[in-house]
Structures are given as C-alpha cells and as structure tokens.
Amino acid sequence: MRDRSPGTRGSIRCELSGFVGRRAELGRVRAALASARLVTLTGPGGIGKTRLAVQAATEMRRSFRDGAWMTELAGLRDPGLLAPEVARSLGLLDQSASWGVATLADSLAGRQVLLVLDNCEHLLDACAVLAGALLRACPGLRILTTSRQVLGVPGEVTFPVPPMSVPAEGQLPGWDSLLEYEAVHLFAERGAAVLPGFAVDAGNRQAIMELCRRLEGIPLAIELAAVRLRAMSPEQILARLADRFGLLSAGDPATPRHGTLQAALRWSYDLLTTDERVLWRRSSVFTGSFDLDAAESVCAGDSIVAEMVADLIDGLVAKSVLLRRPGGRTARYVLLDTIRDYGQQRLEEAGRGALLRRRHRDCYAALAAKKEGLGAGQIQWIDGLDADHDNLRAALEFCLAEPGEAEAGLRMACDLWLYWETRGHLTEGRRFLDALLGRALHAPGLSVRGRWVAGYLALVQGDGDAARSLLEEALFEANSLGDTEAAAYAAQFLGRALLFTGEPDRGLALTGQALSRHRTAADWQGVVLTLVQLGVMQTLMGHPETAAAKLEECIAECEAHGERWNRSYALWGLGLAAWLLGDDGRAAELEQAALRLKRDVGDKVGIPLCLEALAWIAASRDQARRAADLLGAATAAWNSIPASLPAPLAGYREAAAGRTRDALGDTSFTAHLVRAQAMPSSRAIATALGEPAGAVRPAPACSEAVRLTAREREVAALIAQGLSNRDIAARLVISARTAETHVEHIMVKLGLTARAQIAAWTAAEAGPDA
C-alpha cells in the first residue's frame, strides 16, 4: 500500500515485517547517494536488494524536498512503457503524446527527488537510457536502483548487497551475543512471529548457527526456514535442509548462492501438501498482486475446487510463500519475484503454463468486460482495474505473444477504453491497440471498434492528427459494414477532434448525428457522452442557451443511472454556460458541485478545469484575491498532471488574469499566484469550495488500514508510557537493537516521525474510556 495523495511527499511501499540489521549497508548506501546521483544495488535474487532500497529511501526521504518515490518494474515487460510507468508511480497522468522521457524530465526538472527503480535487470537498456536522460535534465534528482546487473551509466556507483552476517565456521559465540549476527537475528525475529515465545538460547544456538551458515546468510532462504518453526524445532529444520543440500551440492560452483536459494525453495516446496504445491504453481501466473476472487477463477480446477482456494491461500501465507499486501478493504496477495520465478519454473515443468496463462487472461478479460464504465459502480470498477493493472498488462501481453489470441486481446483492450482514459494510461492503451490491430486481421467489426477507441485515446492525449485519421477511417468502415454503434461513436469523437482542428461546424453536425444514432439505439451511455460533448461544444461556439438544455438533460440522465464522472463534466459545462449568460451566482454553485464530484472520483484533469472556471467567475465578481489564488491553484494542478488548459478556453483565463492583475497590481498578483501554487492540492480544493481549513487532514504515509503486529502494539504502548528503547528492551527481554527496529517499523507503518506521535496514536486507539 502506498500514499499518492495530492500534496504528499513521496510514495514508498510499506512492509509488513520489520527491517533487521543492515546498519552498515544502510550507512554506505546513504554515503553513496550523498556523493553520487545514481546508485545501483546489485546481487542475486533473495539477497535483500529491495528491502535495503526501501529502508534507505524511507530513512532518507526527509532529505529530499519533494520526497522519495518508488517504481516497481517486476511486472513491466515493454521497454516502451517504462517512462509512463515511472510517471504513474510519481502520481503523474499520461496526457501527452510527446516522448515520455522528455515529459517526465520536464516534470522533475525543478524538483528535489529520490527515485527508486526496483528490479531493472530485464529492462536494463531502457532503464539506462531513462536514468541518463533524467539525470542530465534534472539537477535535483538522485536515483537508487536495484538490479542483478549494473546499468552501465556514466557516474553510476555500484553497491553489491552482501549476505547477512553469520558466525564464522568453528566460531562458537555465547548464546546471548548471537543476535549480533544479522542472519541469526532475522531467524529469531521471524521465528518469534510464527511461534510466540521463541528465542535463541543455549539449547538451540548450535543448530541455529549451523542453519544460518548453511543458508549463507541469504535473507529469503532464512525467512523460508524460520516459518517452519511452527511445526519443527531448529534441529529438525537443519536436518531436513542438510538432506536437501546434499542432493544439490553438485550445482554450478560459479553461482553458489543461487544453488543455496534453489535448495531452500525446493525444500519449502517439498514440505507443502500436494494442493498447496499446485496453488503455488498456478498463482505464479499472476503479476503484481491478486485477490481471492481472481485466485478462485484462475487456480481452481482438477483436484482443487473453488471453495478450497481460501484455505490453501491461508496455508501459503502462513508458510511465507504468499504475502498479504497491507491495507485495503479487499485482501490482496503477492509472490516475491524469486518465489514467483520458482513457481513458474515448476508450472512449465508440469506442462500447464499456456493453460494457466489463458485462464488468467480470461479472468481479467471478464473483469474488463463488466460494462461498469458509466454505471453506478463505475468508480469501484475503475479502482478494481487499477489494483490489477499489472495483471491486465500481462493478459494483453499473452494475447500478443500467443498465436490465435489477438482478437481476444483486441476485444479486451477496447473494453478498457474508459479505464485507459480515466487513470491516465493513454500511451499504454494506444500501444496495445496499435499492436493488436496489426494482428487481428480477420475481424472487421472488432477492428472498427479498435480504431475508434484508438482514435479517442489519441484525441484525449492531444494527438489531433492521429485521432482524426483513425476516427475518419473507423467512421468510413463502420458505415460500410452497417455497424451503427461503431459509426455513432466514431462520428461523436471525430466531431470533437474537428473542434480542435479548425472545423467546428462540421464537428457540431457530426456530434448531432451521433446523438441521434445513440438515441435510436437506446444507448444511454452513448447519449450521456454525446450530450456533454455537444453542450460544451455549443457553449464554446457561442450558444450557451442551447447548450444549457443539453447539459441539463445529461445531468438528469446521469442521476437516473447513478453516473458521476460525466455528470461532473455536465455540471462544469453548465456552470460555464451560466457564467457566459451572466448568472455568476448560479455558475459558482454549479462549478463547486462539479469540483466536489471530481474530488470524489479522482479526476485529476477535471479538478483544474473547475478551479479555472471558479477563478474566471471570481474575477467577474471583482473578487480579485480569490481569483488570483484560484488561478495559482489551477496552474499547480495542471503542472502536477502534467497538462495544460485546452486551447479553446485559453482566452477566458487570459481575460481573468488581466482583470485580476489590474485590480491587485503586479507584485500582489504574483505573490498570490506563488502562494497558491505552493498550497497542497487538498487544501486548494477545500479553499475553492469554502470549506474550513480544519476539514483538510493530511494523509498518513501508509494506509490507515495497515495494522501493527501484537509485538509492535506492545512496543507502542510502552512508548506511550515514556519508556526509552533500552527500557523497552529490558521490559520485553529483547535486545536494544530489536527494540529500535520495532520503533522504526511502527513509524514507517503509521507514517510518523516522532515518539510523541506514536504516543498520541496509541491514546487515540485506546479511545476516551481507556
């Protein structure tokens, strides 16, 4: 779970388990980033590169004015989507058809940011090009990457992540000093999490030392072993593992740690029940995270019925094969990359890879085809798709790679058209549509739909020439095939394209024709989309009275179906029409209603449109200070996307700015703009709506749904009593370093920076009667 709320300083994922050891490595990473602008953490899978990067970024984020941001690349396969993916992780929308790296560089040029790129090895060249270009263009940028190979960029500093420290062969430290060795400390902490009361003592120290040596200090291997304490003693775990290492001792001597990890993975796999092994293999087709419904859809079959999947998932979570993602109302699960890779290897050995990937595609194609795009459940549907973005991408990539699946892929990409737009994945949507249109050559009706969808995405992205070409071609082919639905949508969006390319009258006529076709087909969604477009076009062409009737009809239709996205645009257009007709009071009310809806649905493009309109209205009412503040807030909102005010509206802004500047004078006007641009987005929206400042609450660094472990709650309660780390260690019979780790983990999970904040949180959790 991450926080990407407007005005927050960064997005680094929260971890469920505490960070153990690595203090020397953290110091070296911090020192490297202080002197170099690109640092790459290298090492084999399971060595802890990502955890070290996350911890380093978490501890350093306050050193960067604009925070630390993380892009996880494990689920990305297309190098052409690297820049849009990084932009998405930074909270930026993909609204421009220009080169993604250039747009990203423009956005970061004036910012002081730490950017973490995780799992670069399969996109090495693309990551090197991106990192080099951004570092040249953005002087305040530092980049921390994790990769099994170096990027090879000039100035890159490489930091090989070592294994955790273990006692040397033949060394026999006292049991009370064993926790100074990181591997032993990790085993003890993870062991205590699965077996309360477990600790290293004089009786088990020999087995634990030997176990950590055998596992060569590899964190993932140690964690897989520690979860077995639920059913075995350290001595039993060591004996079982020793047998497995004997079988694998003939591995490649050039990569000994790879052999060690493979042995630990195979040992963990062999200890599972038959059905748990099947679920591990099958769940490896998911990319990123997945929920229970998807697991039942994809993984059930043969010996596993859908009703068994929940219990099998619970078993795999208990054995640390699956991890539950923190936060969220719906539980989501994820496989670490190394564990996923092993599952995929076993899946291919079983000859079931293609079958499971097809099931996976069918699951997400069905989700895309739910037709909730404009219904009452539209926001939940879009949010659900966003949570499964990596899986949607993997399903479409399967359709491109597997012979005979292009038509299914094109249908799925078309079903996602509103998702591509509302969540700002325009480049990705266009790339998939272009590739699939080139392969689905024997489905003319589907190809027509693909062209008008591709044309619409090009239009939203500001690529007017490409949009017009695609939409004209789609309209011609739809009319030739007698496909009235495709013809209606192609005509509608071509009408909008013509408004922006200098033929507004023809555009208006085509939009009117599209409305008639949608009405004839009783397509309420098409009617709603066309009414709002027609109303805004008529307003901009100087006919606000005519436009108002269309927009009021659109609002009524939306309310009847529980639709909110287009209702917000109809309210915005109706407010603009009311303002042009001289009714400033009603115009302001309508724009504020539109802004509330846009805040609720998360429309990053619609919010600055409403701020702009409210600024123009304020200028007309001689509210110069408010107008200047709103113009500054709108500018900041456009910059955060990044995007700009559509050209047909530019004249209204220029007039409002000129009038406001004349009223305030240059110095005061500029001061208002600068102050408003520095305001957090949530505060700017509240100000525009006239809400009290106290109504705006900053979001925590992690979701409030993240829960502390029982031990962390114990530590938090002791902090609230005023105990120091040393006091807490003595009270709980743990080391001072372990107490410090618990405190750090509590702060990261709750997004806090001071012990007093932990105490306040504890008091609030306890409630007034505690």
Side-chain angles (χ1 to χ4, degrees):
M1 175 62 69
R2 301 162 182 266
D3 172 34
R4 289 194 183 90
S5 307
T8 58
R9 293 175 55 232
S11 175
I12 298 295
R13 78 183 191 191
C14 299
E15 301 287 359
L16 280 173
S17 55
F19 185 81
V20 174
R22 302 290 203 188
R23 304 315 302 180
E25 288 84 355
L26 281 168
R28 291 172 63 189
V29 172
R30 284 197 296 266
L33 282 168
S35 59
R37 298 183 60 214
L38 172 62
V39 176
T40 298
L41 308 185
T42 62
I47 202 70
K49 301 184 295 294
T50 298
R51 287 302 298 265
L52 182 58
V54 167
Q55 188 68 19
T58 299
E59 293 184 6
M60 294 185 69
R61 63 185 174 188
R62 294 179 189 88
S63 301
F64 293 83
R65 184 183 64 244
D66 299 297
W69 303 78
M70 183 173 185
T71 306
E72 298 178 59
L73 300 176
L76 185 68
R77 291 292 177 268
D78 183 352
L81 295 177
L82 176 61
E85 187 69 10
V86 173
R88 181 168 79 109
S89 71
L90 288 163
L92 306 174
L93 290 189
D94 178 19
Q95 293 291 126
S96 171
S98 61
W99 186 44
V101 176
T103 303
L104 194 54
D106 288 343
S107 176
L108 290 172
R111 299 171 68 184
Q112 190 184 66
V113 165
L114 173 61
L115 175 62
V116 181
L117 301 179
D118 186 38
N119 287 306
C120 297
E121 56 270 358
H122 60 296
L123 299 167
L124 214 57
D125 291 343
C127 287
V129 170
L130 177 76
L134 292 181
L135 290 170
R136 285 191 296 272
C138 310
L141 177 67
R142 292 282 194 278
I143 300 178
L144 176 62
T145 75
T146 72
S147 177
R148 298 183 189 184
Q149 296 175 258
V150 298
L151 269 62
V153 175
E156 177 184 18
V157 169
T158 304
F159 180 82
V161 178
M164 288 185 148
S165 59
V166 298
E169 193 72 40
Q171 185 179 5
L172 190 62
W175 70 267
D176 55 341
S177 61
L178 266 180
L179 290 179
E180 295 176 6
Y181 295 93
E182 294 168 332
V184 176
H185 188 173
L186 178 65
F187 185 87
E189 181 146 314
R190 298 299 186 260
V194 299
L195 184 66
F198 173 79
V200 180
D201 56 33
N204 61 25
R205 62 171 178 160
Q206 186 67 47
I208 292 173
M209 279 194 301
E210 185 60 28
L211 186 60
C212 291
R213 287 193 197 108
R214 285 292 190 102
L215 294 174
E216 298 186 340
I218 300 174
L220 178 58
I222 291 168
E223 295 204 26
L224 288 173
V227 297
R228 290 295 167 182
L229 287 169
R230 193 189 307 272
M232 289 186 253
S233 69
E235 292 79 6
Q236 289 173 307
I237 296 172
L238 176 61
R240 297 287 186 98
L241 265 177
D243 291 342
R244 175 57 60 198
F245 280 111
L247 291 173
L248 296 183
S249 60
D252 183 356
T255 56
R257 292 199 183 98
H258 176 75
T260 299
L261 183 58
Q262 286 294 301
L265 288 166
R266 181 170 293 187
W267 174 73
S268 294
Y269 180 84
D270 289 345
L271 285 176
L272 300 176
T273 67
T274 300
D275 288 339
E276 286 174 336
R277 292 178 206 163
V278 171
L279 195 70
W280 182 348
R281 295 196 300 267
R282 293 180 180 179
S283 63
S284 70
V285 299
F286 291 104
T287 303
S289 63
F290 59 93
D291 61 16
L292 179 59
D293 289 343
E296 290 175 342
S297 174
V298 175
C299 300
D302 302 324
S303 62
I304 297 178
V305 297
E307 291 76 15
M308 296 169 58
V309 172
D311 286 340
L312 291 172
I313 284 178
D314 187 56
L316 291 182
V317 169
K319 297 172 179 71
S320 292
V321 175
L322 282 175
L323 301 178
R324 179 176 170 177
R325 276 275 172 92
R329 295 182 178 179
T330 300
R332 296 189 67 83
Y333 308 95
V334 66
L335 290 158
L336 293 177
D337 296 335
T338 306
I339 293 176
R340 180 188 296 108
D341 291 345
Y342 186 81
Q344 289 178 345
Q345 174 189 330
R346 300 305 294 258
L347 184 66
E348 295 302 327
E349 290 172 359
R352 306 287 293 240
L355 172 65
L356 265 295
R357 284 191 290 275
R358 187 172 285 106
R359 278 193 204 167
H360 176 273
R361 188 277 317 280
D362 290 344
C363 170
Y364 290 102
L367 179 63
K370 275 191 171 181
K371 304 298 183 186
E372 294 286 353
L374 295 183
Q378 64 184 146
I379 304 306
Q380 292 84 351
W381 175 70
I382 290 170
D383 286 345
L385 291 172
D386 215 28
D388 276 308
H389 184 88
D390 289 338
N391 285 304
L392 296 173
R393 181 188 288 149
L396 290 168
E397 287 171 345
F398 166 78
C399 294
L400 283 171
E402 191 75 9
E405 299 291 347
E407 289 183 16
L410 181 56
R411 187 174 295 107
M412 181 178 173
C414 289
D415 287 338
L416 289 168
W417 69 289
L418 285 171
Y419 169 67
W420 300 129
E421 179 204 2
T422 55
R423 287 297 184 261
H425 303 304
L426 300 174
T427 296
E428 182 167 342
R430 292 181 68 186
R431 284 177 69 90
F432 274 122
L433 285 162
D434 183 61
L436 291 162
L437 282 167
R439 289 169 171 78
L441 303 175
H442 305 293
L446 183 58
S447 293
V448 168
R449 186 182 178 211
R451 284 189 175 82
W452 74 249
V453 171
Y456 176 71
L457 296 184
L459 177 62
V460 176
Q461 203 173 29
D463 193 352
D465 292 339
R468 182 167 178 170
S469 175
L470 284 162
L471 292 165
E472 285 180 335
E473 187 177 351
L475 182 57
F476 176 81
E477 291 181 8
N479 286 330
S480 299
L481 292 169
D483 186 339
T484 56
E485 178 181 320
Y489 281 98
Q492 172 189 341
F493 297 131
L494 179 58
R496 189 192 302 187
L498 292 171
L499 173 69
F500 292 99
T501 55
E503 295 185 55
D505 291 332
R506 184 183 168 218
L508 196 64
L510 278 172
T511 306
Q513 293 170 20
L515 180 59
S516 298
R517 286 177 167 175
H518 287 314
R519 290 192 195 279
T520 300
D523 178 1
W524 77 267
Q525 297 192 24
V527 168
V528 161
L529 287 165
T530 313
L531 281 171
V532 70
Q533 177 177 311
L534 190 60
V536 172
M537 290 176 71
Q538 289 175 334
T539 299
L540 296 178
M541 293 172 68
H543 308 292
E545 305 96 333
T546 308
K550 299 289 190 301
L551 293 166
E552 286 169 349
E553 181 186 352
C554 179
I555 292 167
E557 191 75 20
C558 289
E559 288 174 345
H561 290 91
E563 201 282 341
R564 293 190 287 168
W565 191 276
N566 282 277
R567 178 154 61 103
S568 71
Y569 277 96
L571 286 165
W572 174 83
L574 192 59
L576 186 61
W579 174 59
L580 292 173
L581 290 169
D583 192 345
D584 291 348
R586 182 167 184 253
E589 291 174 0
L590 289 165
E591 293 298 344
Q592 287 183 325
L595 181 57
R596 289 188 191 94
L597 270 180
K598 291 187 179 299
R599 178 174 61 181
D600 291 345
V601 302
D603 182 1
K604 289 188 70 173
V605 173
I607 285 170
L609 283 173
C610 292
L611 294 173
E612 289 278 0
L614 286 166
W616 309 337
I617 294 165
S620 296
R621 303 171 87 175
D622 293 324
Q623 298 171 341
R625 291 184 177 83
R626 175 173 169 80
D629 287 341
L630 290 170
L631 287 170
T635 299
W638 288 122
N639 290 341
S640 73
I641 295 175
S644 56
L645 182 69
L649 301 172
Y652 301 134
R653 180 186 177 91
E654 291 170 5
R659 183 168 181 166
T660 304
R661 185 187 297 273
D662 289 344
L664 295 176
D666 287 346
T667 301
S668 179
F669 177 73
T670 302
H672 276 276
L673 289 182
V674 170
R675 184 185 65 187
Q677 288 181 48
M679 191 184 298
S681 174
S682 55
R683 177 68 180 275
I685 293 170
T687 299
L689 294 174
E691 295 174 349
V696 182
R697 183 172 58 90
C702 295
S703 165
E704 291 177 0
V706 173
R707 298 182 62 181
L708 301 185
T709 66
R711 176 50 62 93
E712 287 163 355
R713 285 184 174 273
E714 241 184 319
V715 171
L718 294 175
I719 290 172
Q721 294 174 28
L723 273 65
S724 67
N725 286 354
R726 187 176 298 277
D727 294 335
I728 292 170
R731 179 77 63 88
L732 299 179
V733 196
I734 58 177
S735 71
R737 178 59 57 83
T738 299
E740 177 187 348
T741 299
H742 283 312
V743 174
E744 288 177 355
H745 197 205
I746 292 167
M747 288 184 176
V748 169
K749 279 188 175 183
L750 300 178
L752 306 178
T753 58
R755 298 171 76 89
Q757 293 174 318
I758 297 176
W761 178 87
T762 303
E765 285 286 291
D769 299 324

